[in-house]
Amino acid sequence: MKIIISGYGKMGHMVEGVLLSRGHELVAASENITETTPETAHDCVCIDFTTPEAFRSNYRFIAAHFKAAVVGTTGWDDIREAVVAEFEKQGTPLVYSSNFSIGVNAVFAAIEKSAAVLKGHGYVPHIEETHHIHKLDAPSGTAKTMASIVESSLGTRPDITSIREGEVPGIHVVKFKSEVDKIKISHEAFSREGFAEGAVVAAEMTAGLKGVHTFKELILK
């Protein structure tokens, strides 16, 4: 598979290492994806780990010219409908997620099931997330996804506490507390490699894929 990385920061470099180890071809790694020629983009999957601002500027170009796209950039929830509509209009497969870690997606499933079981039994949810001091968004996209899952299954929107310290790759803890007990479901990332691996797995899933999907939908089928 031919891949072009959009955004060549720490995550971009990590994605490069994973895709090469899995036998894929890195055609380019670009800080400005719109400089890619349409001829080159046509045969490539774009893996995007940029900034919310960059993705907002670039998503129409990606949808129009690439074979498929995998987007790990967060912070564009307010234009989600427009993004989905653009990719569907262009007929370009899109897989997106607030977190491509296989482990985190397993936690998403555990949260969904647990919240459904606890519904109506007096449990109050809360989410705490900790990341490195360089992270731009707070709460994290992963925490927001977890909150949406809890709200959908439990019927209550949890508050989120965001902590920024050191070089922490990412810790998420979902708590359900009642008068009789407390339940914790947590995930701690040791490095960004798990996110990169999941993004490359998502790119592999785009072969023969149609439409727009979250990574959670695909991996939990």
Side-chain angles (χ1 to χ4, degrees):
M1 179 177 292
K2 295 181 178 180
I3 294 176
I4 293 179
I5 298 171
S6 177
Y8 201 41
K10 291 180 179 179
M11 273 305 303
H13 281 82
M14 193 72 72
V15 168
E16 177 183 8
V18 173
L19 69 89
L20 293 177
S21 72
R22 295 174 74 95
H24 300 300
E25 178 184 349
L26 176 62
V27 175
S30 176
E31 289 295 345
N32 186 358
I33 200 68
T34 60
E35 294 178 350
T36 307
T37 64
E39 294 77 16
T40 300
H42 183 264
D43 294 324
C44 297
V45 175
C46 175
I47 297 181
D48 185 283
F49 279 100
T50 53
T51 64
E53 294 74 20
F55 181 71
R56 288 167 188 271
S57 298
N58 298 338
Y59 78 86
R60 292 183 182 86
F61 178 89
I62 295 170
H65 298 295
F66 278 84
K67 182 178 180 180
V70 172
V71 177
T73 303
T74 60
W76 49 274
D77 284 356
D78 58 311
I79 61 165
R80 185 188 306 256
E81 289 185 6
V83 171
V84 170
E86 186 68 21
F87 277 85
E88 289 181 340
K89 182 180 76 173
Q90 297 292 346
T92 303
L94 167 66
V95 181
Y96 68 94
S97 181
S98 60
N99 194 313
F100 278 99
S101 162
I102 305 297
V104 164
N105 280 272
V107 169
F108 286 163
I111 294 168
E112 184 173 17
K113 181 63 175 179
S114 298
V117 171
L118 299 174
K119 185 175 182 179
H121 295 287
Y123 283 84
V124 177
H126 184 265
I127 296 173
E128 181 178 291
E129 58 97 356
T130 306
H131 282 88
H132 52 84
I133 60 174
H134 314 290
K135 188 166 180 60
L136 299 178
D137 56 333
S140 68
T142 302
K144 291 178 180 178
T145 298
M146 290 176 168
S148 295
I149 293 171
V150 171
E151 183 176 21
S152 177
S153 297
L154 187 68
T156 302
R157 182 79 177 183
D159 291 332
I160 302 173
T161 299
S162 297
I163 300 169
R164 296 291 175 264
E165 61 183 22
E167 298 295 332
V168 179
I171 302 172
H172 293 85
V173 182
V174 181
K175 306 172 186 178
F176 299 95
K177 184 178 181 180
S178 73
E179 292 184 356
V180 296
D181 60 9
K182 179 191 290 185
I183 300 164
K184 292 184 180 180
I185 302 173
S186 66
H187 178 274
E188 179 177 355
F190 299 146
S191 73
R192 294 180 176 87
E193 189 170 354
F195 313 143
E197 179 183 5
V200 176
V201 169
E204 294 168 346
M205 288 179 168
T206 62
L209 188 68
K210 294 183 179 180
V212 176
H213 307 267
T214 66
F215 187 49
K216 175 175 173 285
E217 291 170 1
L218 297 179
I219 202 168
L220 297 182
K221 280 186 177 180

